Amino acid sequence: MYRFLLSRQWVILTLVGLALIPAMIRLGFWQLHRHEHRVAQNQLIADSLAAPAVPVGRLTAPGRAVAHDDMWRTVTAKGRYDTGHEVVVRQRTAADDQTIGYYVLTPLVMDNGRAVLVNRGWIPAGNDLTRFPKVPAAPSGEVTVTGRLKADETTGGSGIKDKKGLPARQVMLINSEQQAKSLSEPVLGGYIELTTSSPKGTGQPEVVPEPDHSGIGPHMAYAIQWWLFSAGVPVGWVVLVRRELRDRAAARAAEPAPEPVAAGT
């Protein structure tokens, strides 16, 4: 009755189904882990933004990577902007997540002789991408900046390719080690994403908005979807087997009955 299951077609179908089940289960757990990571990241951002501001020197130092738990912490720094070593970061979007432009990255030389990179915000790209854009002048004299502490960007972490041969004073990544090569002062690891400045200055770049830490994305729904798919494979296999049995039974019933053999022939 079930000998058809040993046919080449059914053996291949069964093996494919057996391979799909663990693959789909693993994909479901992968999406679950992405969901858990997103939830943990949201909590980290919320806790960091709610924490009181601290001097940036407490959380980072020259040649020291920003700790994961210190990401997004509100920090302060006091010093003077070194606009002579100011650069712009290419291919960054405005607050609308659509308009492409630059981030303005300016070193702030602090009173202790150390420098920290400050992302002063976003400006439009303009028409000529081969030239240094018109950048709003940074506040002169001593300034106090407040912002979110961020880790250095890398190609592996951000997915942004670090292109070579760019126009002068244009970069792809915000990376303190790269910028330290052109500065005479030791540079703190990571950078500050500016939120407020005193004095503020006039016509400043558009401040980078606070990161979204409310949405959890579709990962949990995708995980459940993959697990339902994995459960559907054996169900589908059983349905196909039962259909095959019905078709074979109907085919046998439709076969004409053999004619009786006459006696004496």
Side-chain angles (χ1 to χ4, degrees):
M1 185 177 182
Y2 290 97
R3 289 179 60 85
F4 67 89
L5 293 176
L6 299 177
S7 66
R8 183 172 181 271
Q9 176 184 355
W10 275 95
V11 168
I12 293 175
L13 180 64
T14 303
L15 292 176
V16 170
L18 291 175
L20 285 175
I21 292 173
M24 291 178 177
I25 291 175
R26 290 187 64 182
L27 286 171
F29 278 108
W30 175 62
Q31 289 290 350
L32 175 62
H33 294 155
R34 294 188 68 186
H35 168 78
E36 293 173 341
H37 173 76
R38 181 67 178 270
V39 171
Q41 182 76 354
N42 287 347
Q43 189 61 51
L44 171 65
I45 294 173
D47 293 344
S48 295
L49 295 178
V54 298
V56 67
R58 291 188 185 179
L59 303 181
T60 183
R64 171 181 160 189
V66 174
H68 181 264
D69 291 344
D70 293 332
M71 286 277 291
W72 309 104
R73 281 290 304 273
T74 302
V75 294
T76 61
K78 182 184 292 186
R80 295 174 181 269
Y81 279 120
D82 178 7
T83 56
H85 292 93
E86 186 173 70
V87 299
V88 293
V89 189
R90 294 168 62 96
Q91 299 180 1
R92 301 304 169 112
T93 55
D96 61 7
D97 284 332
Q98 296 180 354
T99 311
I100 303 296
Y102 300 103
Y103 281 162
V104 180
L105 191 66
T106 313
L108 181 75
V109 181
M110 298 180 291
D111 298 337
N112 60 8
R114 294 180 172 183
V116 61
L117 301 180
V118 179
N119 177 5
R120 296 202 290 125
W122 181 90
I123 61 172
N127 297 324
D128 190 351
L129 302 181
T130 65
R131 295 188 177 185
F132 191 76
K134 184 178 180 180
V135 176
S140 59
E142 188 171 76
V143 297
T144 300
V145 300
T146 302
R148 299 177 285 264
L149 181 63
K150 301 285 294 293
D152 286 326
E153 294 179 345
T154 62
T155 297
S158 66
I160 301 173
K161 185 177 180 180
D162 191 12
K163 300 178 182 177
K164 305 300 181 182
L166 297 176
R169 299 173 65 190
Q170 296 190 27
V171 298
M172 295 300 300
L173 298 170
I174 305 178
N175 188 284
S176 62
E177 291 185 4
Q178 290 183 357
Q179 297 306 308
K181 297 175 182 178
S182 62
L183 296 172
S184 57
E185 302 86 6
V187 182
L188 302 186
Y191 66 97
I192 298 176
E193 194 171 75
L194 182 70
T195 54
T196 60
S197 173
S198 178
K200 184 177 180 180
T202 57
Q204 293 301 295
E206 179 184 298
V207 173
V208 179
E210 181 178 289
D212 176 28
H213 55 280
S214 58
I216 58 175
H219 303 300
M220 178 56 77
Y222 289 160
I224 295 174
Q225 188 178 63
W226 280 118
W227 291 331
L228 289 176
F229 287 161
S230 68
V233 171
V235 173
W237 186 86
V238 171
V239 169
L240 290 176
V241 169
R242 295 183 66 180
R243 181 181 298 174
E244 182 73 13
L245 289 172
R246 288 198 304 268
D247 292 345
R248 288 174 177 268
R252 287 194 298 271
E255 292 178 356
E259 296 182 0
V261 179
T265 61

